[in-house]
Every structure is written in structure tokens, then in C-alpha cells.
Amino acid sequence: MSAPFRDMRLPGAFGVTLPEPDDFEFWRDQARALVQRDVPPDRVAWIEPGGAGDLFAGGRRRLPSPGADAPPVRASRAFVQLAKTAICHSDPERFALLYRLLWRMQGSPRLLEDGADPEVRRLDEMARAVRRDIHKMRAFVRFRLVEGGDGGAGEHYVAWFEPEHHILRANAGFFVRRFANMTWSILTPRGSLHWDRAVLEEGPPAQRSDAPAGDPTEELWRRYYASIFNPARLKVGAMLKEMPRKYWKNMPEAALIPELVAGAQSRESQMVAAGTLEMGERPTSLSAIDKAIHACRMCPIGLLDNRAVMGEGPRDAALMIVGEQPGDQEDLAGRPFVGPAGQLLDRHLERAGIDRRSAYVTNAVKHFKFVQRGKRRLHQTPTAKEVDICRWWLEGERELVQPRLVLAMGASAARGMLGKTVSISKVRGAPHPLEDGSELWVTAHPSYLLRLDGPAREEQSRLFDADLAAVKERLEELT
Amino acid sequence: MGPLSTIEKLAILADAAKYDASCASSGTTRRNSTGGKGIGSTEGMGICHAYAPDGRCISLLKILLTNHCIFDCHYCINRKSSNVRRARFSPQEVVDLTLSFYRRNYIEGLFLSSGIVKSSNHTMEQMVEVARILREEHDFRGYIHLKTIPEADPELVHQAGLYADRVSINVELPTDAGLVRLAPDKDARQIAGAMGKVKSDIVETRDARKRFRHAPRFAPAGQSTQMIVGADAATDADIVSKASRLYDSFRLRRVYYSAFSPIPDASAVLPLKRPPLVREHRLYQSDWLMRFYGYQPAEVMQATEADGNLPLDIDPKLAWALKFRERFPVDVNRAGKEALLRVPGLGVRAVERILASRRHRTMRLDDVARLTVSIAKVRPFIVTADWRPVMLTDRADLRALLAPKTEQLELFAA
């Protein structure tokens, strides 16, 4: 700063009225001239267009020309960048703040690096608020189709938006680049933009009533908004932080928010009721599981006129045999494998040299599924879902017994163990390692043998015996 | 029941997509529709066009092509044995929805995922077809993220990468054992193989573009993945180490965590208790520490508690600092960038500003306060010209002092 200008300091205040609230070029020219004439910040009043100019009218002075040896005005590139953004802020103090910083910068050119300086901090905050508003406008502008077909030649899309700062002009390029081949208008209380696929025109401020009220696509969009939201994860605070309520009134989807929030809890509990089965903690003893399965109504089978049938056998059995589900006789007796299939199984086990009494014998599904035909109860195969639900109890038994080898008989039993449907013919005769280090073997269900006759039955009996023999052999290796 | 209308399908197929954590639309090449026939632009930074009441942003139209599925993964609402209502979009329907939403500025583009219908290849072909119509027939220049099907023919996955900005393949679960148990139809080696192929495709096309200007771009926004948290017994330590291996092996842009959430018609194999949502948040914070703060995976694991999980009441950075109190306090006027980045409450931006500011002044507590969100959180860990926390880092109740109080947020408060 050179001495002669200090002596020439003029009395009274200067008033500078800007032609546009975001006119950086004009501000820069004026600010540069003021610095060159050594006019300190507290003697300049910056007035927005339509602002309180009268207050300073008396002090409005013409600036004398700078002397020939007026020093060049220094401003870092970072300052110019920041100022261009911050000047869009709606705070009437922004011009004065920028001038104070420019003034100080003449003595300390690297002032902007000092983020802890309160005025630098304020400028930074202003620029940040403007950038955020620019970003939110890009995000929350909602176009509505007013004429022509969607995407067609005569289309015209119009949006109403209420920016907080003077960002309309700064944001025009973004919308032109994005929607270059679309005819659109953006109306705001601070001005309007019109793009006809070739030329961008600026228009006067508009009112909300100038913009169209709706668009049929909004119904689709609202449905999308409501569906993509997960009611089990309500985080209203996080939503409000990024989408403050001031923007809501111009976003068609925002009208749904109160009911979505209010309904979230009941939707979640419905999801939980329909989904994650409310069985509480799993019992930790076989007798407690026995008690619990009698009360289990998690699938339709539990609602039939039947009783649960618990597995039986030693608590520390090395072999666990899993069937499909109790049948008519098992249901009556309350014990697994006592009917025709059970008796057939006993004979085959004996032949293989396996003592049934040393095995823990149970079923993939704990209740008898049937349809009533007159006095008879006809067996029904459980669905995959029913098997999956009952897996909860089967796993409980397996956790407690901890067998070294599990023999699953039939597709339902295999599903109860594996959680997926497998083909018996493809997986039988070989071990399938389980995650706890034990092994699963799969074979046919004895009731399948009962349904066959003649050579087919002989063939299947032979295969069944072979599977049992392999299990016996493997069991001896494991124990 | 008659055929479903578009709006009904949209409701079903968006509902089915809500368990996809990613909605990112950033990090791709800059494009705009100037000089083209269609619409769309990407300018590096993604834009979130709305926020749902679950706090997640809506940047892309995130839908499934269909929720029919031949697989039977237990954590998945669309698994074969689930009783959800099924629907299926034609590729053209997805294209029309994407364009009409994009024209109204509702979205940045499309995130398309799908259940597996008929076969993996058939499904992948349909997904690629959506992207092809958007790019080739409509000159769409917005963002496209395709979730590829690892079992599909690698050539189809390659096609997907030529149209899409980002491709993702879900690892689904943090451990292979969990995958075997909960996703019996999926194969960990196949998933890893598909990720490896995408990685090498990305690397190759980047190389080719250095030499040939017109070489096609391949997934310029890279690849990402998602894993489900809390459905199996994996601890946070397991998850962090899995994530870091994924970042290293496949150069993933992002690993997303999706807290296992109660789904309608869930399988009985799943745990009954859902993990607290904050667990997912803590994992993202730890991810952040590794990607932007220079923490090694092993260091994040040091922040876990005896059970292998990150504490839920405080963030992992604070948890680490409380375990390594001897490293504090850090002198704001002298410490290097790395030490400053370790201070709880100092973000990357704040650290950069402190480094720039201290060339001009000796930092006092007030100066630091102007550069941070909450000086109260930072204070016990720093030394400034006018502040030295003599006893604070030795205090046994420091954690209780710093753990945030439970906040009540009211939606309709004035």
C-alpha cells in the first residue's frame, strides 16, 4: 500500500449499487478501483439492486481516477474462485466481506490459507452454503411435462424451484448440458431460465402459480419412492439433514413422508410377523424343544389336528437319522418311525448291523401333514417353505446331540439339512461335510420303497442297503 | 388376477430392490448430452435426488428386472421358496421408466439388478439388453449400474461393462462358510472368479485407451460389491479383513454393507434378531478410516472389542484412540498430517485447514474450534498454544464423557 493514497483519503462514505445480485465482474471492477484509491472497507457501502440505497444516498461520491502510479491490486486465484461462488449468497453483507478480505489481502497475499481467521472462515461458509444450494437445485428441481408427448418433438418441461441464494445463473450450464435435447423452463422467484434446445434465455422472476401443477408420471415416481424405502430402517434425522423441509413443498414425493414415517413401525412389525418367525430364543434342551414344538404354529401344518413328534434316542448318539415327517401312526403314538416305513427301516438297519437304539431318530418336519378323506388322514408332502421353517427345530436337536454322522432319508430330510433341494440319486452314496465337522449322508426314504413293486423295489432295496452299509462303515471310522 | 400394470410392477420390483445398499452415481467419466440426440450427463460427483425416510439417498432408479428366482438364498426375499408376489419387467419397460424419470430430473440413471429367471445367461442377456437400448437407441448419457450375475457367461458380463458405468457382483456374505449355509446355490470361487475377470477387463481397457483413443470404455466407475452383515456369525474383524482383501485383490471402488434386515417371508435359518443398524454405520466408518485416513486393516481390528466387534456407542476412530492413549495428545502446532488424522473429531478437511492455517499463526484452542465441527470431542486429544489436557487422556471415564448422548429427533417439531 503506497503512502500518497492514505493522505488523499476522502471524507464520507461511498455507496456502490450492484446491477445484479450475483454480478461478480461488476463487483470486481468496483472493488479494484476502490482499493487503488485506498478507500478502506468501513467507508464503502455495497447495495444490492433494489436494496436500501437511500440510507447511503447522501454519502454517495464519485470516485476520483486513480493516480498513474496506483499499485496493482493483488488477489489470489483461490480468492477469485471463492468470491465468484460466495457472491451468489443471499446475505447482503457478502460484498462488504469480500471487499474487507480483498483489502487485507493487499498486505498479506496468503491470507486465504488461514482458515482459522474469522473472516476467511465466514467467506468459506458462504461459499459452502452456495455450493450446497447449487447442488440441491440440481437434485430437487422437478420438471413437469406441460405440452407435447414425453420425449417427443413438441414436449416442454417446466419446473418451479425456490433457491435460497442467487444461484440460478450459476446453475444454468448444468441443466443445459444435461437436458441439451429437451425444451425446458425453470421458474424461480429470483428469475427464470428457458432453453429451446439451442438458445438459453433469461426471464423475469416468476410465481409458483406460473408453473404447472402436476404430471401423470409423478404417480409412478411416488410409488417408486414409497417402495424403495425400507420401513425397518427408519432414520428420519439422516433424511432431514440432507433434504431439509424447506425443499419439500416442491417435491411431489415429499407429501408421502409423514404417512411413510407414521406407518413404518406397523409395516416393520408386519414384516417381522410375516417373516422372521417370532420363536424367541431356541430352547437349550431336548425336552424344552419337545415342549416348544407342541406350541409351534409357524406354518400351516401346526394348525392341523395333530401333535408334534419329537425325535428320540440317546442324547450323545453318534448317528442321527432324519426322516421326512411323522405319519398317521407316529402322530397317534407320539413317537417317530413306528408305522410301516419305520418297521421297514428297522429291518434294513438290522441287516446293515446298525442298532437303531443307538441312533437319534427324528424328522425334518415335526408335525403330520395330511388331508382328511372321510375317516382317513392322507399323507401330504411338506412344502419347501415348511421344511425350511421346521429346520429351526431340527438344527436345535442336532446342536444338542452333536452326531458325527447324519443320515437324511428323502428329499425333505435332505432339504432340512442343507437348506436346498437336491436330487437323491445325485447325492447319495457319498459324504457331504457339514460346517461343524460332521458328515451328512443322503439316501431314499423307506416309504419310497413301500410304494414300489417287483424289480424296481428290489433294485431300490439294494441301493438302500448299500447306502446303509456305507454309513455303517463310515460310522466305525468316525467313532 | 389380470396382468400387472406398470405401476404395480414398479411397486413390487422397487420393493424387492430396497435391500441393495448402493445407490452411488459418482466417479465415472464426465459426459453430457451436448451434440447428441438423447439426454443425460455425469459430472464426476453424483447427485442424490431425494432421501427416503430410512435416511438413504435416492440417486438411481433402483429396481429388479424380475424378482422371480431359481436360487434359494435364505437371506433373500426373492428366493425360490419365498411367497412374495412376483413380477417381471420387459427390457423396454425399464428403458421407458428410466427415461421418463430422468427427463423429470428424478434420477441420475439406473441401477438394475435381477433375480435369476430361466438361467443366469438368459437373465444377464436381458439386463445387457436394457443397457444397450438406453445407450444405443436413446443415446442415454446418464449413469448405469448393472449388478451382474456371477454364474453368467463371462462374455455377457463383459458386454455389461461396456454399457455400464459401474458393475457390481455381490460377495453376499463375509465368510465362505456363511455363503455355503445361507446361499446354497452360490459358489464363493465363482464369485471371486467373476470379480477377477471384471478387474482384468477394467485394467485392460484402461491400458488400451492410453494407446488407442477410441478403445471402448469399460465400467469407468469401477466395480463394487455388497455383503450382508449380521446374518451369520462373522464379526466386524472378519468383515473388515474380508473387505480389505476385496479392495486389494479386485481393486474395488466400494464395499457396501447391508445390515441383515427382517424380510417378509424370511427363512427360519436366519437369526431372529436383526443386527443394530448402527453396526452397519460403524463398518462404513471403519471403511472410511482405511480409505481416507491411512489406517491399516489390522489397526481397525485393534479398535474392536473382545468379541471381535466394533463398539456401537462410539465411532471406531475414537475407539482406537482410547486404546492407544499413549499416542495422545497430539500437538496441533507441530504434529504431522498422519498424527493429526488420528485425532478423534478431526476430519480430512479440518486437518488440511489446520496445516494451512498454522503457517500463519500459532494455533490456539479457539482457532481449532473454528475449523472443526465439535471442539469438545477433539479437546482431550490435542495440545494447542493455550491448552494442554494434562490428565484427560488418563481418565478412566473418558469414554463415557465422549460417547454421544442418545439423541431424539423429531420429524414434525417446529
Side-chain angles (χ1 to χ4, degrees):
Chain A
M1 217 163 310
S2 51
F5 287 93
R6 204 159 290 151
D7 300 334
M8 288 166 66
R9 197 170 286 171
L10 298 160
F14 292 97
V16 181
T17 303
L18 284 102
E20 296 287 345
D22 58 346
D23 196 334
F24 175 76
E25 306 296 322
F26 182 86
W27 176 86
R28 182 175 59 187
D29 292 345
Q30 298 300 309
R32 185 188 285 139
L34 286 162
V35 170
Q36 281 179 330
R37 286 163 189 77
D38 207 15
V39 182
D42 58 1
R43 301 171 64 90
V44 189
W46 297 90
I47 304 149
E48 283 199 69
D54 289 351
L55 208 61
F56 301 94
R60 204 175 283 189
R61 305 278 302 256
R62 279 177 63 87
L63 287 175
S65 310
D69 58 347
V73 179
R74 314 202 316 173
S76 67
R77 183 181 303 218
F79 174 76
V80 175
Q81 284 297 324
L82 217 52
K84 273 183 180 168
T85 306
I87 208 155
C88 300
H89 202 280
S90 55
D91 187 340
E93 288 297 308
R94 63 194 179 281
F95 308 111
L97 174 70
L98 286 169
Y99 186 63
R100 277 200 302 277
L101 282 162
L102 182 67
W103 176 263
R104 289 177 60 198
M105 205 173 284
Q106 304 315 304
S108 42
R110 302 178 72 176
L111 172 65
L112 228 54
E113 286 176 6
D114 185 7
D117 179 279
E119 286 185 335
V120 172
R121 180 92 182 122
R122 177 77 191 114
L123 177 68
D124 217 34
E125 277 166 4
M126 275 189 180
R128 205 138 43 112
V130 168
R131 279 195 297 265
R132 182 173 158 93
D133 202 32
I134 285 177
H135 190 78
K136 292 302 177 197
M137 178 175 172
R138 294 175 180 188
F140 299 152
V141 153
R142 297 284 181 261
F143 282 117
R144 286 167 165 164
L145 183 62
V146 285
E147 53 193 77
D150 198 349
E155 48 155 41
H156 185 197
Y157 295 86
V158 179
W160 168 252
F161 190 74
E162 294 169 35
E164 202 178 329
H165 303 291
H166 303 281
I167 56 164
L168 186 64
R169 213 172 276 125
N171 233 352
F174 170 82
F175 288 96
V176 167
R177 289 189 296 276
R178 171 158 292 192
F179 302 109
N181 301 298
M182 212 168 93
T183 302
W184 52 262
S185 304
I186 299 176
L187 313 179
T188 83
R190 299 178 188 272
S192 52
L193 294 175
H194 306 275
W195 171 254
D196 67 355
R197 306 180 191 215
V199 179
L200 182 73
E201 275 179 26
E202 286 180 24
Q207 291 180 343
R208 199 180 181 181
S209 56
D210 298 332
D215 181 318
T217 303
E218 284 174 6
E219 202 196 330
L220 278 168
W221 173 241
R222 276 194 292 266
R223 187 66 74 93
Y224 174 71
Y225 182 77
S227 306
I228 199 69
F229 147 63
N230 187 347
R233 322 175 38 119
L234 203 58
K235 276 188 185 168
V236 176
M239 171 186 69
L240 282 172
K241 189 165 159 255
E242 298 298 335
M243 194 170 73
R245 218 169 288 133
K246 66 183 178 192
Y247 295 110
W248 289 14
K249 60 177 185 282
N250 297 317
M251 299 170 70
E253 64 274 27
L256 297 176
I257 294 172
E259 62 178 291
L260 289 178
V261 171
Q265 205 145 40
S266 73
R267 268 182 75 193
E268 183 186 0
S269 39
Q270 273 171 23
M271 273 163 78
V272 171
T276 41
L277 310 163
E278 294 223 40
M279 294 184 283
E281 296 286 318
R282 188 149 57 197
T284 50
S285 74
L286 290 172
S287 61
I289 289 182
D290 191 10
K291 202 171 153 200
I293 57 176
H294 281 82
C296 180
R297 300 289 179 267
M298 288 303 149
C299 77
I301 310 179
L303 301 170
L304 297 171
D305 183 17
N306 55 16
R307 64 164 150 181
V309 177
M310 183 64 181
E312 63 178 29
R315 165 75 167 70
D316 55 352
L319 170 67
M320 177 162 155
I321 300 177
V322 184
E324 184 191 48
Q325 62 167 337
D328 185 56
Q329 295 197 28
E330 284 80 7
D331 182 57
L332 295 173
R335 291 184 50 211
F337 282 99
V338 295
Q343 288 161 19
L344 182 65
L345 173 66
D346 287 348
R347 289 199 292 277
H348 283 277
L349 285 175
E350 210 172 314
R351 218 148 56 210
I354 299 172
D355 181 3
R356 166 163 167 183
R357 283 165 307 179
S358 70
Y360 184 87
V361 180
T362 189
N363 284 300
V365 171
K366 304 300 176 201
H367 283 97
F368 174 39
K369 186 180 182 185
F370 62 90
V371 283
Q372 193 84 38
R373 283 287 148 73
K375 285 187 177 171
R376 293 185 61 206
R377 300 194 294 177
L378 293 182
H379 163 270
Q380 296 272 295
T381 301
T383 64
K385 177 164 178 61
E386 288 154 359
V387 174
D388 288 350
I389 290 172
C390 224
R391 202 177 163 189
W392 176 249
W393 303 119
L394 180 64
E395 297 220 325
E397 288 177 284
R398 193 161 78 84
E399 251 174 49
L400 292 165
V401 177
Q402 299 194 332
R404 307 298 308 272
L405 192 153
V406 180
L407 175 66
M409 302 190 302
S412 297
R415 188 178 174 99
M417 288 303 302
L418 292 169
K420 63 177 170 182
T421 300
V422 293
S423 148
I424 302 293
S425 59
K426 281 186 191 156
V427 298
R428 71 190 305 169
H432 303 270
L434 297 172
E435 60 200 279
D436 63 354
S438 63
E439 278 179 12
L440 174 72
W441 288 67
V442 179
T443 185
H445 196 276
S447 64
Y448 170 62
L449 306 184
L450 285 175
R451 290 196 298 272
L452 299 172
D453 292 312
R457 179 164 181 171
E458 274 169 37
E459 167 67 8
Q460 284 302 318
S461 287
R462 199 185 52 73
L463 284 171
F464 191 61
D465 282 337
D467 285 344
L468 291 186
V471 163
K472 161 85 175 164
E473 193 182 332
R474 185 66 181 142
L475 204 55
E476 278 166 1
E477 283 169 25
L478 288 173
T479 50
Chain B
M1 232 180 319
L4 294 171
S5 65
T6 301
I7 197 164
E8 287 169 318
K9 289 188 204 175
L10 179 65
I12 293 170
L13 294 169
D15 188 89
K18 70 179 177 227
Y19 309 98
D20 279 323
S22 163
C23 197
S25 56
S26 53
T28 191
T29 46
R30 285 168 172 262
R31 307 187 287 264
N32 61 60
S33 47
T34 314
K37 295 187 281 111
I39 48 165
S41 63
T42 53
E43 304 203 341
M45 197 162 59
I47 298 174
C48 301
H49 287 265
Y51 290 81
D54 54 19
R56 296 196 294 184
C57 93
I58 298 174
S59 167
L60 302 169
L61 170 62
K62 194 157 61 171
I63 48 172
L64 264 58
L65 190 60
T66 174
N67 64 343
H68 287 279
C69 194
I70 58 174
F71 279 9
D72 214 0
C73 306
H74 290 281
Y75 51 81
C76 180
I77 172 81
N78 304 313
R79 70 183 192 285
K80 187 172 58 180
S81 57
S82 154
N83 289 331
V84 287
R85 215 167 158 206
R86 308 285 172 168
R88 186 172 175 176
F89 274 131
S90 70
Q92 190 61 48
E93 280 177 304
V94 175
V95 167
D96 292 344
L97 268 176
T98 307
L99 291 174
S100 69
F101 281 2
Y102 199 96
R103 282 187 201 108
R104 286 159 183 81
N105 203 41
Y106 301 161
I107 51 169
E108 290 287 286
L110 174 68
F111 177 161
L112 188 63
S113 176
S114 183
I116 299 174
V117 61
K118 286 188 191 166
S119 69
S120 299
N121 279 348
H122 172 80
T123 309
M124 198 65 234
E125 272 165 23
Q126 299 268 300
M127 293 174 79
V128 170
E129 178 64 1
V130 172
R132 188 199 65 79
I133 300 176
L134 278 170
R135 292 284 195 238
E136 291 185 354
E137 295 180 17
H138 297 278
D139 194 17
F140 176 66
R141 299 183 185 183
Y143 198 92
I144 298 179
H145 177 160
L146 294 178
K147 177 166 288 179
T148 66
I149 307 201
E151 295 80 11
D153 188 331
E155 180 48 34
L156 285 167
V157 177
H158 181 79
Q159 284 286 317
L162 292 177
Y163 292 121
D165 292 280
R166 171 170 286 183
V167 291
S168 59
I169 300 163
N170 283 3
V171 296
E172 311 292 6
L173 289 153
T175 62
D176 288 358
L179 193 73
V180 168
R181 180 172 155 79
L182 296 173
D185 302 309
K186 298 217 166 193
D187 178 346
R189 275 185 308 180
Q190 200 163 33
I191 293 170
M195 282 183 167
K197 172 78 168 66
V198 169
K199 177 196 138 189
S200 59
D201 282 354
I202 290 174
V203 171
E204 271 170 36
T205 44
R206 287 236 170 98
D207 274 3
R209 280 189 72 82
K210 283 180 198 150
R211 280 172 286 138
F212 311 107
R213 203 156 53 86
H214 296 293
R217 288 180 191 280
F218 184 92
Q223 72 167 324
S224 62
T225 193
Q226 171 171 326
M227 66 174 103
I228 293 161
V229 172
D232 63 1
T235 62
D236 289 346
D238 295 334
I239 294 168
V240 166
S241 96
K242 174 79 178 184
S244 95
R245 269 179 284 136
L246 289 169
Y247 279 121
D248 289 349
S249 319
F250 304 115
R251 290 197 218 162
L252 295 182
R253 284 289 179 88
R254 283 298 301 276
V255 174
Y256 291 92
Y257 304 106
S258 173
F260 157 69
S261 95
I263 53 173
D265 210 37
S267 157
V269 186
L270 289 173
L272 297 180
K273 270 184 266 168
R274 70 171 154 108
L277 287 182
V278 68
R279 183 175 175 200
E280 186 186 284
H281 182 58
R282 297 291 178 233
L283 285 166
Y284 279 124
Q285 286 177 323
S286 69
D287 203 64
W288 213 255
L289 291 182
M290 291 190 285
R291 291 194 300 144
F292 301 106
Y293 288 79
Y295 285 66
Q296 295 301 311
E299 290 179 302
V300 173
M301 285 182 237
Q302 286 168 343
T304 61
E305 298 185 322
D307 63 356
N309 288 325
L310 293 165
L312 295 176
D313 59 333
I314 53 173
D315 65 73
K317 195 178 182 190
L318 178 57
W320 187 88
L322 289 175
K323 278 200 176 172
F324 295 91
R325 295 184 189 202
E326 70 279 7
R327 300 254 226 144
F328 300 94
V330 166
D331 187 340
V332 168
N333 284 300
R334 285 191 189 81
K337 188 173 179 179
E338 278 149 45
L340 286 170
L341 282 172
R342 299 270 163 161
V343 175
L346 289 187
V348 175
R349 253 177 89 92
V351 167
E352 271 160 14
R353 283 176 166 160
I354 286 171
L355 291 171
S357 285
R358 76 184 188 189
R359 288 205 289 266
H360 299 271
R361 61 174 71 216
T362 304
M363 303 293 283
R364 306 170 72 81
L365 202 58
D366 278 352
D367 297 325
V368 179
R370 275 193 288 272
L371 300 176
T372 56
V373 179
S374 159
I375 190 66
K377 203 179 161 190
V378 181
R379 204 162 41 194
F381 300 96
I382 57 167
V383 169
T384 65
D386 60 342
W387 166 259
R388 177 172 290 273
V390 186
M391 294 302 288
L392 212 41
T393 46
D394 293 329
R395 280 179 63 158
D397 60 347
L398 186 58
R399 177 183 179 136
L401 283 176
L402 293 170
K405 309 288 170 284
T406 333
E407 278 180 61
Q408 291 280 321
L409 282 162
E410 275 187 70
L411 177 58
F412 300 106

